[in-house]
């Protein structure tokens, strides 16, 4: 087991998270150890309850908020089965990236299970359009992301990241990209009970012209790298590793949830393949 501690970016609540190994064919589960009976919930598209600024999964009387950074490292590490215990309603934001979660898991390592790994192997394109946003997935032998964002802000603009995902590329190119937010939205978010724990310590903050964090950016295109991180987290709700090329244009958590649901519903467009790696 290995732990990560911190506060939630939206709730501001402290939380300790513990990763524990799970057997074959379990999937990824969150377990609320602070609640009576320790209720658990699978990371699955059908359990996604909210997609506004973050991804929340919810059961009848409990939830786990802001799951996407914590689980984004899993596909690159080839982890399909995991128990993630927590003692609060929201995953710690740490530095706003996936760095702490990746480090925590790498520090204890992973175990290859006996069962062959079962993939969702895309055979026909699956496309989703919503206004000027789109998300689609194409056949590809591997997991590739092409992510484009376009923000009318002088410090962001249009950025594209095209990347084949494996443990090395995720660690090097994606895992340390931080979440970001606009100062002008802060009051409205706080009024909705969001961003209460947000600070320069855990997010890139932008005013109308520039980045306000004194240390600046980790990459000039850190924003699109973070969107790739978010997308990988949301893809865990597919409940199976994806073999495909995911192409996203201005896609947020809501469109990702719809894409994952569409993949699940598009039975003729994928097959389940078992590969020994
Ligand atoms: Zn994010």
């Amino acid at each position: 087991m290995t732990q990560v501690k911190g506060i939630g970016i939206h709730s501001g609540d402290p939380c300790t998270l513990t990763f524990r190994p799970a057997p074959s064919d379990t999937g990824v589960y969150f377990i609320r150890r602070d609640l009576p009976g320790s209720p658990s919930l699978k990371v699955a598209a059908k359990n996604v309850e909210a997609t506004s600024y973050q991804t929340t999964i919810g059961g009848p009387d409990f939830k786990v908020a802001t799951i996407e950074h914590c689980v984004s490292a899993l596909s690159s590490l080839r982890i399909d089965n995991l128990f993630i215990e927590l003692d609060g309603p929201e995953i710690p934001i740490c530095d706003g990236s996936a760095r702490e979660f990746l480090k925590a898991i790498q520090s204890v390592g992973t175990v290859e299970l006996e069962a062959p790994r079962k993939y969702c192997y895309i055979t026909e394109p699956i496309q989703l359009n919503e206004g000027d946003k789109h998300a689609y997935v194409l056949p590809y032998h591997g997991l590739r992301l092409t992510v484009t964002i376009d923000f009318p802000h002088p410090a962001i603009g249009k950025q594209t990241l095209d990347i084949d995902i494996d443990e090395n590329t995720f660690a090097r190119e994606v895992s340390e990209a931080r979440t970001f937010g606009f100062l002008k939205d802060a009051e409205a978010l706080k009024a909705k009970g969001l961003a209460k724990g947000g600070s320069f310590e855990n997010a890139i903050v932008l005013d109308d012209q520039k980045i306000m964090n004194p240390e600046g950016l980790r990459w000039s295109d850190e924003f699109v790298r973070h969107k790739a991180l978010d997308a990988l987290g949301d893809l865990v709700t597919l409940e199976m590793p994806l073999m495909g090329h995911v192409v996203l244009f201005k896609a947020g958590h809501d469109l990702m949830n719809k894409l994952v649901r569409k993949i699940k519903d598009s039975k003729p467009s994928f097959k389940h393949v078992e590969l020994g790696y």
Side-chain angles (χ1 to χ4, degrees):
M1 75 165 226
T2 180
Q3 290 192 321
V4 173
K5 292 182 187 194
I7 59 160
I9 190 168
H10 294 300
S11 62
D13 292 336
C15 181
T16 299
L17 196 125
T18 307
F19 294 103
R20 290 188 191 278
S24 296
D25 295 322
T26 302
V28 179
Y29 274 81
F30 283 105
I31 303 168
R32 285 283 304 270
R33 283 288 178 213
D34 56 318
L35 297 178
S38 300
S40 65
L41 198 62
K42 193 173 192 187
V43 178
K46 65 175 189 293
N47 292 330
V48 170
E49 178 187 276
T51 51
S52 176
Y53 296 97
Q54 47 78 44
T55 298
T56 292
I57 57 170
D61 38 346
F62 73 100
K63 61 173 188 159
V64 181
T66 320
I67 65 165
E68 63 274 16
H69 304 166
C70 166
V71 295
S72 72
L74 300 185
S75 57
S76 74
L77 295 167
R78 301 160 34 76
I79 295 174
D80 304 318
N81 304 293
L82 185 65
F83 294 128
I84 308 170
E85 299 178 358
L86 67 167
D87 61 1
E90 187 181 8
I91 305 295
I93 188 64
C94 303
D95 72 341
S97 76
R99 180 163 68 189
E100 292 304 313
F101 307 111
L102 180 65
K103 268 183 12 194
I105 297 170
Q106 284 177 326
S107 74
V108 290
T110 57
V111 174
E112 194 85 17
L113 299 172
E114 283 295 315
R117 203 169 185 224
K118 205 171 172 191
Y119 291 84
C120 172
Y121 192 98
I122 302 295
T123 55
E124 297 288 335
I126 298 170
Q127 190 162 352
L128 195 61
N129 294 299
E130 204 175 83
D132 66 341
K133 302 172 181 179
H134 60 243
Y136 50 91
V137 54
L138 308 169
Y140 191 72
H141 195 78
L143 176 59
R144 177 176 168 191
L145 290 182
T146 304
V147 183
T148 301
I149 59 171
D150 191 1
F151 281 85
H153 187 287
I156 308 180
K158 194 167 183 178
Q159 304 183 347
T160 298
L161 181 72
D162 183 18
I163 188 168
D164 273 288
I165 298 296
D166 61 35
E167 183 171 353
N168 292 327
T169 60
F170 179 79
R172 196 175 61 229
E173 309 289 343
V174 176
S175 70
E176 298 192 2
R178 292 164 296 169
T179 190
F180 56 97
F182 300 95
L183 189 65
K184 64 177 171 56
D185 298 337
E187 285 310 312
L189 284 172
K190 284 181 180 163
K192 284 192 215 164
L194 294 167
K196 287 195 279 187
S199 74
F200 291 150
E201 306 297 314
N202 54 37
I204 305 165
V205 184
L206 300 110
D207 66 15
D208 288 341
Q209 290 299 317
K210 61 181 190 310
I211 292 139
M212 299 175 70
N213 302 55
E215 76 283 5
L217 295 175
R218 294 177 177 172
W219 296 269
S220 59
D221 62 351
E222 188 169 356
F223 306 98
V224 74
R225 289 170 191 261
H226 185 78
K227 289 294 181 185
L229 186 161
D230 280 341
L232 286 167
D234 286 336
L235 281 175
V236 177
T237 63
L238 188 60
E239 301 174 72
M240 185 177 297
L242 179 70
M243 275 231 182
H245 178 191
V246 178
V247 181
L248 303 173
F249 183 78
K250 297 175 80 168
H253 298 299
D254 179 55
L255 205 63
M256 282 305 299
N257 184 243
K258 289 176 179 158
L259 179 68
V260 170
R261 286 171 187 265
K262 189 157 183 181
I263 295 171
K264 282 177 168 290
D265 291 343
S266 304
K267 290 272 188 292
S269 301
F270 69 86
K271 58 184 179 186
H272 291 145
V273 294
E274 289 188 354
L275 297 172
Y277 62 89

